[in-house]
Amino acid sequence: HEAAGRPQQSLAPEMRSIAHRRQHIRPPAASDGGRRVSGKGRWRPLLDGEVAEQAWEAVLAVAQALRERPPAVSWRAYAGRENASLASGTAGLAVFFSYLADARPGEGWEEVAERHLDHAFETLASQPMPHLFYGGFSGVGWAVEHLTGRLLEAEEDEDEANDVDQALLKALEHPFRRGDYDLVGGLAGLAVYALEALPRPSARACLERVIDQLEAMAEEQPPGLTWFSPPEMLPEWQREVAPRGYYNLGVAHGVTAVATVLALSAAAGVEVDRCRRLLEPAMRWIFAQRRDAGETPDGHWSFPSWVAVGVPPQRSRFGWCYGDPGAAAALLLAARAVGEETWAQQALEVARRAAGRSPETALIRDAGL
């Protein structure tokens, strides 16, 4: 799923509408022991006592290791460049350290967040980046929107289109390739950016164009509809398993992310009827792919990684990108966004069943922190 061959854009000539905002850094927000009391969103601590102390030791060890700028991009298509990305660069680090500063004010983490955000601004203004959410400028733009009200003051004219919006609107004038619908580098990722930037009119226009293209890519598959990943979009090892392509059930590259952004768009009042018309058969198709306990080797996974004609269902990892934890979280978010309790209960059943899976069968090396 590399981004090689995708168009890249430099936002350098017009970066003033974002870059000047680094001059308006907010003071750190007050905290009430882990619950954010200003800005966007609230978090509820899940751990206390000795277990919480152990968790903080791990978090702070990670934070110390990530204080400095990450190495240059290692992906083949962008080797040697400065890394400002949301997935593995300074935009993502700015988000992480901003949350850490909220939870532990007065320890200097807000300055670390600001330094990483400065680097992301400078990189976005000085070198071409693709539009990708995880590895491109839409992900950096999402970090800016998400940190507005945390590290950044809101702009005076929040209705004015910014450069990320304009670049995405231009990119969305042309049809994306079949299969280019995913969260990491496709349409679903652009939708996540646009949702974060609402209610700005240009962000709404981006979201409407994404929905246009998702609708055009959808295909009917009993008992509903879904989105296809053709073989030319797959890495070589997956083409060997599914030479005719597949229907991906993961969050990173699959249809669960598409269903979630459709639900969130409907909840935000954007193309409500059309989103519901796509969402309901999509959720019907997704839940139809669940495997019963007797159909799986250890009885504790529900969704295969993908579904392909003539290929046995592939056992999924216990991860967010492929696997039940990510799928359950995304589907629960979608269900709650549109008030569908039946979907929510089905998503929770997937999560509870996954919780019984043994580490030996998880097929992952880390906890997806």
Side-chain angles (χ1 to χ4, degrees):
H1 297 284
E2 289 193 6
R6 299 190 185 191
Q8 301 173 54
Q9 294 176 260
S10 174
L11 304 188
E14 301 88 13
M15 272 302 296
R16 288 185 299 276
S17 69
I18 290 181
H20 84 276
R21 291 165 68 178
R22 64 180 172 176
Q23 306 299 325
H24 303 286
I25 303 294
R26 291 175 61 91
S31 172
D32 61 352
R35 294 179 176 85
R36 182 172 179 78
V37 295
S38 67
K40 300 178 180 178
R42 283 180 173 270
W43 291 86
R44 177 171 58 86
L46 298 177
L47 305 178
D48 55 27
E50 184 178 352
V51 176
E53 292 177 5
Q54 292 173 353
W56 270 121
E57 288 178 6
V59 169
L60 293 173
V62 170
Q64 290 293 349
L66 296 177
R67 288 185 76 105
E68 301 306 319
R69 184 181 304 178
V73 179
S74 59
W75 307 329
R76 184 170 64 243
Y78 308 110
R81 296 185 184 179
E82 291 292 311
N83 191 349
S85 72
L86 181 62
S88 60
T90 44
L93 290 176
V95 174
F96 168 71
F97 283 109
S98 176
Y99 274 83
L100 185 58
D102 284 348
R104 299 178 72 92
E107 296 184 4
W109 298 115
E110 57 274 5
E111 287 84 3
V112 180
E114 180 181 343
R115 186 175 73 248
H116 286 303
L117 191 59
D118 267 353
H119 175 267
F121 280 136
E122 292 163 1
T123 302
L124 186 59
S126 63
Q127 71 180 33
M129 296 181 74
H131 61 255
L132 318 180
F133 184 62
Y134 268 48
F137 66 77
S138 63
V140 180
W142 180 90
V144 171
E145 299 295 337
H146 193 69
L147 294 178
T148 297
R150 295 179 184 271
L151 281 182
L152 294 169
E153 295 283 6
E155 293 187 291
E156 292 182 5
D157 187 357
E158 294 185 349
D159 289 338
E160 182 179 350
N162 71 19
D163 304 315
V164 174
D165 295 355
Q166 298 287 17
L168 291 180
L169 284 169
K170 184 176 181 180
L172 288 163
E173 289 176 355
H174 308 285
F176 278 37
R177 296 177 297 177
R178 185 188 185 204
D180 209 0
Y181 62 81
D182 71 1
L183 173 68
V184 168
L187 292 165
L190 304 189
V192 173
Y193 162 77
L195 284 161
E196 189 71 19
L198 290 175
R200 193 164 58 240
S202 53
R204 184 185 182 95
C206 285
L207 193 53
E208 290 169 347
R209 291 189 185 182
V210 167
I211 294 166
D212 288 341
Q213 297 217 28
L214 288 174
E215 183 177 34
M217 281 188 198
E219 61 177 61
E220 293 185 4
Q221 282 289 332
L225 61 78
T226 186
W227 286 262
F228 182 65
S229 298
E232 62 270 19
M233 297 288 288
L234 308 183
E236 183 177 353
W237 71 271
Q238 290 185 354
R239 285 199 302 272
E240 292 175 356
V241 178
R244 290 184 285 176
Y246 60 39
Y247 300 96
N248 191 307
L249 285 154
V251 175
H253 301 294
V255 300
T256 47
V258 176
T260 303
V261 298
L262 289 171
L264 294 173
S265 299
V270 179
E271 296 286 349
V272 177
D273 292 342
R274 189 152 56 119
C275 286
R276 290 299 300 244
R277 192 167 63 247
L278 294 168
L279 174 64
E280 290 172 9
M283 293 291 274
R284 193 163 59 244
W285 183 88
I286 290 169
F287 283 120
Q289 310 314 311
R290 289 177 61 187
R291 296 316 193 247
D292 294 331
E295 299 179 83
T296 63
D298 61 7
H300 289 298
W301 61 272
S302 299
F303 288 114
S305 295
W306 57 73
V307 176
V309 175
V311 179
Q314 299 292 306
R315 180 174 61 167
S316 60
R317 301 194 295 265
F318 190 71
W320 77 268
C321 50
Y322 289 91
D324 293 339
L331 295 172
L332 182 62
L333 178 61
R336 288 179 171 171
V338 294
E340 290 285 352
E341 184 58 29
T342 300
W343 295 348
Q345 289 305 313
Q346 288 179 286
L348 288 169
E349 288 171 9
V350 171
R352 293 185 182 113
R353 183 172 161 193
R357 189 167 176 175
S358 68
E360 291 75 23
T361 66
L363 304 178
I364 59 171
R365 297 181 181 178
D366 60 71
L369 295 177

